[in-house]
Amino acid sequence: MQRTKASVIRPTMALPSYYAKKRRNRLLALILLLLSLITVALLFISYFFTREEPLPSSEKVEKGKIQPPQFLFVITGGPGELQLKKPLDVKISPKNGRVYVTTRYQKYGKGRVEVFTPDGAYLYSFEDIGGGQTLRNPVYLAINAQGNVYVSDTRLKNVYIFSPEGKFIKKFVPNGDPDFEWNPLALTFDKKGYLYASNTYMDHEIVVFDANGKLKFRFGKRRYTLAKGQYKGDFYFPNGIVVDRDGRMFIADSNNRRVQVFSPQGKLIYIVESGGNPRGIAVDSHNRLYAVDALGHDVSVIRKTDRKGVAICIFGEQGVDFGQFQYPNGMGLDKAERRIYVTDRENDRVQVWGWPITGGVSVPVRRGIAAGALAIPPIMLLLWLFMRRRRIYACNEFMEQIIDNQQLIQLSNKVRKVFVAPETYESLKGYVEGDLEIADVMRPIKIDETSIKSMEENQGLNHELATIFARARKGWKKPRILSEQDDTHIVAQKLGIESMDHELFVEQYSIKEEKRGKGTMKSKTKKPKKK
């Protein structure tokens, strides 16, 4: 269609109002950037004038090591006969933060669980298991996500379940079978609520139960090693189990002087040669493995992937003073992993240790927050303005101009993809220019007949333009329409949508005119590619 200059409807991107709006947007962006820079500058000024200098570290740490935890205090038990007697395990509830300790009576033959606050204040104890019976030799503990306490008793050869307040709930019946033969020792839960236990009845093995008590699988057998690496995957009195966040099982193979690591399916992955007699173990979120050495009278902290078992720090030594152990056995970490609770068996107490703050005093969180919060909105707005991707829509006549001028490659380089009406896509998809197929540049618009019909009736557009405008008005991304039709620019101006014709496109994107004869000629059927 030939048009005189007087009859040409100008694209919205060629109108003075478009350039005025563009100048306003640039000015607004500049003002926001300036405000952001001023706010960030104020934030840094606030930080440097209000920060607290870190306290100097009092000791140097050998390369590859870390500063060990510091001794904090001891828990000796309740008043009178409630004093702890040969405590074996300690666990901290993820539900209420209380500290649960297995211990015995002063007279041999009965045991109980004593409960304390995180700071060691006595709360209560429990021992009744129904029918006039009590715990006899409670050894290890495990606490599930609901706060219920599971206690293994090696004299009664069972696991007993209590509420967080110590009310007896029931005896754990493995696999629903009251005749199930086992002597449970170490206990733990994984994040799915599965119960893991070491069974020392005949073969020393690991048994895994689902949340309903159904046996999922078991592995291992009783074997005593005489050399490192011998009888991999077997056990001799496994006293500690922990499952990390990836489902891997760490088993303290106590009398074989090692910690064995298994996959969630029970396949041996590797062995940590810890030495000594590892009993209670734990793994924290810093990938540190803790192992209580009952014969070394200390606790080693090892990188959990270090198969040689080289400690990055060791705390405790043999003795009766604070910070010294006599045959320590079980351990537990609090929820924040800042405090470490260790049962000091022959000293009749639980020792509590804490990780030091080696980097000094941290700056209070409240300082600088106001300035930082002010900086976020303008910065995020600027990022949105500069990083948002624009959708480009093109009409059939515009695409034919691109083909006639052999500018497909340049179009692809400038805008990458253009959305076209399905009929335009079908009519032009066979065109190839050099190594580039037009079908790789175009994307057909998804049809919404209701919106298209509404656009045809309200704006008086043909089906192709109605399809383009119906889709361009959806979504938050600002669209741009490429068209040679006057109706496009008239409606685009009404709807506040950017539009340009081929002439303006060439000018705005600095498209070079190609000499005739280059590239391939237009074809309605796709040409075969060269091999």
Side-chain angles (χ1 to χ4, degrees), residues 391-396 399 417-426 439 441-449 451-452 462-474 479-482:
R391 279 202 170 189
I392 308 295
Y393 297 85
C395 298
N396 184 275
M399 294 303 299
K417 304 291 182 186
V418 293
F419 290 82
V420 299
E423 55 265 34
T424 300
Y425 180 85
E426 291 299 325
V441 180
M442 298 188 303
R443 288 288 181 272
I445 297 170
K446 293 182 179 180
I447 294 294
D448 181 353
E449 292 294 350
S451 299
I452 292 171
N462 61 37
H463 189 269
E464 182 200 16
L465 290 182
T467 301
I468 290 174
F469 274 100
R471 187 64 187 88
R473 294 188 68 186
K474 293 184 178 181
R480 178 175 294 170
I481 299 178
L482 312 178

Side-chain angles (χ1 to χ4, degrees), residues 411-429:
L411 174 69
S412 176
N413 291 337
K414 297 298 181 180
V415 302
R416 294 188 180 180
K417 304 291 182 186
V418 293
F419 290 82
V420 299
E423 55 265 34
T424 300
Y425 180 85
E426 291 299 325
S427 66
L428 301 178
K429 66 180 181 180

Side-chain angles (χ1 to χ4, degrees), residues 229-245:
Q230 194 175 23
Y231 303 134
K232 296 178 180 179
D234 294 328
F235 307 101
Y236 199 60
F237 290 98
N239 269 258
I241 308 176
V242 67
V243 181
D244 72 4
R245 57 193 172 193

Side-chain angles (χ1 to χ4, degrees), residues 394-404 408 411 418-433 436-444 464 468 482 520-527:
C395 298
N396 184 275
E397 290 182 12
F398 180 89
M399 294 303 299
E400 288 187 347
Q401 285 272 38
I402 293 293
I403 292 172
D404 288 342
L408 181 63
L411 174 69
V418 293
F419 290 82
V420 299
E423 55 265 34
T424 300
Y425 180 85
E426 291 299 325
S427 66
L428 301 178
K429 66 180 181 180
Y431 177 71
V432 179
E433 186 176 300
L436 180 64
E437 298 180 15
I438 197 170
D440 294 332
V441 180
M442 298 188 303
R443 288 288 181 272
E464 182 200 16
I468 290 174
L482 312 178
T520 62
M521 53 189 301
K522 186 170 69 172
S523 171
K524 295 299 180 181
T525 58
K526 188 174 178 179
K527 294 184 178 181

